[in-house]
Amino acid sequence: MFLSEGLSINKAGHLLVENCDTVELAEKFGTPLYVMSENTIRKNCRLFSKSMKQNYKNSLVIFASKALNCLEICRIVNDEGLGLDVVSGGELYTAKKAGFPMDRVFFHGNNKTSDELKMALESKVGRIIVDNVFELDELDELAGKMGVKADIMFRIKPGVDAHTHDFVKTGQIDSKFGFALENGEAFEAVKYTTKLKNVNLTGLHCHIGSQIFDDEPFIAAAEVMLKLYVKIKKELNITLSDLNLGGGFGIKYIESDDPMAYDKFMNTVSNVIHDFCSVNSIDVPRILIEPGRAIVGEAGTTLYTVGAIKEIENIRNYVFVNGGMGDNPRYALYNADYSAIIANKADATADYTATIAGKCCESGDLIQEDTKIAKPEKGDILAVLSTGAYNYSMSSNYNRIPRPAMVMVNEDKARVVIKRETYDDIIKNDI
Ligand SMILES: *Cc1c(COP(=O)(O)O)cnc(C)c1O
């Protein structure tokens, strides 16, 4: 059994997030409950920023807010000096309301609506990451009408295999994201942009996948991208100033996950980039990276209350919790790994094989199958670890179940940063 960053067990055998007893948090705020460790989030932000500063003259760490976006997260990430990726009008709106500086906002997405493009231009976001020629033409026209020039980057498919799960693999030519590199589409788009009056191409972007554990795919992607920079310089005499290598840094969900230390990661990739640029006589561009999961994933723990337990002999033991795929759809979507622990007896031996199931009317509503926990009883508090990324942000009201509250823990204090939804919230748009 491993514990995520920021977690420990006290003398009473209770699981702590920083110095807050999770059993008391469950009592005070109710369950299901998303618990975030503020100091873990800040520590992760600093780890990335520091190593980027050490490795490059000019760099920016951008938090991919699709992993977790709410006002307080935007404030914390801003306070740490990071940039912010958004992929929708809703994420952009949240960032604006949180007072996030718009020049550090990067707008992504493969099919931004006209309204979203307008909103991005009106908000003066730092960069719009253009996904395809349709969007490029529309943006050029919109910017022209508004009398502005849009700073843009292109999303490129570098064709690098990130050795990861099929569903979260996004670097290949058969991907809905971006311009393909191997068939010349990306280069042609750069060339085409020189004819457009209202956009200014500052660089290229790639994101090769998620939950990546080693530096090889990043190095491969960086080299492929930089080769294109050289070609663009030679043939079009254009020097691109930004290079965004995306996110995807792996985190620990289960004991056997072994992600590479991020600062070591940065260092290796940086050496390759500096060598490549000096051999090919190009300036090292500003390097951007976009961790999402690696900033907030391990900082999150979800607390549930155990309900009924169904032991089906020689088959499996179902342990029901008062949440499920509504607050964490990742097992239902792609069999994501998670570790669980009974928070009120966190020091007890985990010798019981449990299939943790939610309360939705869906057989696939599982959090984890055949995982080891201490023998559970009705009323226990079950904690699922490393749920800070893609849980709240992917949550739904399936079965009209209200979304849980989120609390932010800082040492021995906990504050609500997202209120629990009520039944009235559930019907608020019904007519
Ligand atoms: C999802 C995504 C990220 C973040 O991925 P993580 O695995 O959470 O680090 C970064 N950039 C882009 C473009 C993405 O789509």
Side-chain angles (χ1 to χ4, degrees):
M1 182 65 205
F2 89 98
L3 293 178
S4 322
E5 185 77 42
L7 303 193
S8 61
I9 297 169
N10 71 4
K11 285 207 186 87
H14 290 187
L15 181 70
L16 304 184
V17 173
E18 300 197 20
N19 295 325
C20 285
D21 184 330
T22 55
V23 180
E24 287 170 17
L25 292 176
E27 175 81 20
K28 184 168 176 194
F29 299 103
T31 59
L33 184 69
Y34 296 117
V35 182
M36 298 297 302
S37 157
E38 179 170 358
N39 287 303
T40 305
I41 298 173
R42 290 185 181 273
K43 197 172 148 190
N44 291 334
C45 290
R46 285 170 202 177
L47 187 65
F48 278 104
S49 297
K50 190 175 160 214
S51 66
M52 288 291 277
K53 276 195 194 110
Q54 280 169 349
N55 285 307
Y56 303 103
K57 268 200 210 114
N58 202 351
S59 67
L60 183 65
V61 179
I62 304 161
F63 172 59
S65 80
K66 70 175 197 228
L68 177 61
N69 194 332
C70 66
L71 294 173
E72 187 66 357
I73 291 290
C74 290
R75 292 181 202 118
I76 291 171
V77 167
N78 179 27
D79 191 45
E80 293 296 334
L82 272 61
L84 198 78
D85 270 0
V86 298
V87 294
S88 71
E91 288 181 1
L92 176 57
Y93 184 81
T94 311
K96 279 175 94 162
K97 286 287 174 182
F100 204 96
M102 287 294 124
D103 60 344
R104 273 194 271 128
V105 169
F106 294 69
F107 199 112
H108 288 264
N110 67 301
N111 191 27
K112 304 171 195 79
T113 64
S114 308
D115 284 345
E116 285 174 328
L117 288 174
K118 252 184 244 160
M119 186 177 172
L121 289 171
E122 278 162 4
S123 309
K124 301 191 171 63
V125 299
R127 299 281 184 277
I128 297 173
I129 291 78
V130 173
D131 181 272
N132 54 68
V133 181
F134 295 84
E135 186 173 277
L136 183 59
D137 283 333
E138 183 173 9
L139 187 62
D140 184 58
E141 197 187 316
L142 274 174
K145 274 189 202 150
M146 291 170 63
V148 295
K149 194 154 186 169
D151 284 330
I152 63 167
M153 298 179 75
F154 283 162
R155 169 84 184 246
I156 307 292
K157 297 184 248 197
V160 171
D161 183 340
H163 316 288
T164 181
H165 197 290
D166 275 348
F167 287 90
V168 285
K169 204 177 342 185
T170 55
Q172 278 61 34
I173 191 159
D174 179 14
S175 159
K176 73 169 186 168
F177 296 105
F179 296 92
L181 197 140
E182 50 261 64
N183 61 7
E185 186 188 23
F187 182 77
E188 285 308 313
V190 174
K191 203 162 140 190
Y192 175 63
T193 307
T194 60
K195 298 198 193 96
L196 302 178
K197 291 197 180 67
N198 310 307
V199 294
N200 170 39
L201 182 69
T202 71
L204 307 178
H205 165 274
C206 67
H207 171 70
I208 54 173
S210 279
Q211 190 60 356
I212 302 169
F213 282 157
D214 59 283
D215 52 17
E216 273 168 39
F218 279 97
I219 290 172
E223 284 183 330
V224 163
M225 296 291 278
L226 284 169
K227 274 185 197 149
L228 184 56
Y229 278 54
V230 172
K231 183 175 158 79
I232 289 167
K233 188 177 175 209
K234 270 197 192 135
E235 297 181 25
L236 304 174
N237 196 28
I238 295 172
T239 299
L240 296 174
S241 57
D242 291 337
L243 171 61
N244 190 330
L245 295 172
F249 310 99
I251 66 163
K252 209 165 160 77
Y253 286 102
I254 54 170
E255 185 73 56
S256 59
D257 285 341
D258 188 19
M260 195 170 166
Y262 304 132
D263 42 0
K264 189 160 169 260
F265 215 115
M266 295 300 136
N267 197 259
T268 323
V269 177
S270 150
N271 289 339
V272 173
I273 290 179
H274 282 98
D275 287 351
F276 185 98
C277 289
S278 85
V279 168
N280 291 280
S281 317
I282 58 168
D283 293 334
V284 178
R286 175 170 72 143
I287 303 293
L288 313 171
I289 56 163
E290 302 170 325
R293 180 190 323 261
I295 301 286
V296 291
E298 288 191 43
T301 307
T302 306
L303 305 179
Y304 301 101
T305 302
V306 173
I309 296 161
K310 254 182 211 172
E311 298 185 342
I312 308 175
E313 218 178 316
N314 299 326
I315 307 217
R316 63 166 91 214
N317 303 324
Y318 281 106
V319 176
F320 296 156
V321 293
N322 58 344
M325 64 188 289
D327 60 81
N328 181 1
R330 292 188 67 251
Y331 191 82
L333 278 174
Y334 34 66
N335 285 16
D337 289 325
Y338 281 105
S339 304
I341 185 167
I342 303 223
N344 48 298
K345 43 191 173 201
D347 53 356
T349 315
D351 55 3
Y352 184 88
T353 307
T355 288
I356 301 165
K359 58 194 263 83
C360 292
C361 291
E362 193 72 44
S363 308
D365 173 24
L366 305 174
I367 298 291
Q368 200 62 207
E369 286 178 276
D370 297 328
T371 188
K372 292 285 187 193
I373 56 172
K375 189 163 170 50
E377 289 161 280
K378 187 171 162 60
D380 279 342
I381 302 300
L382 184 105
V384 178
L385 310 188
S386 300
T387 57
Y390 307 108
N391 273 232
Y392 172 75
S393 67
M394 287 184 144
S395 64
S396 77
N397 287 125
Y398 181 48
N399 289 154
R400 297 225 134 182
I401 296 169
R403 284 185 181 79
M406 181 179 289
V407 296
M408 186 68 66
V409 162
N410 189 326
E411 299 189 359
D412 59 353
K413 301 214 164 40
R415 60 188 194 277
V416 176
V417 294
I418 301 175
K419 286 191 277 188
R420 185 176 300 283
E421 284 178 347
T422 63
Y423 291 136
D424 276 333
D425 290 332
I426 297 286
I427 60 159
K428 75 170 184 282
N429 295 319
D430 293 9
I431 291 167

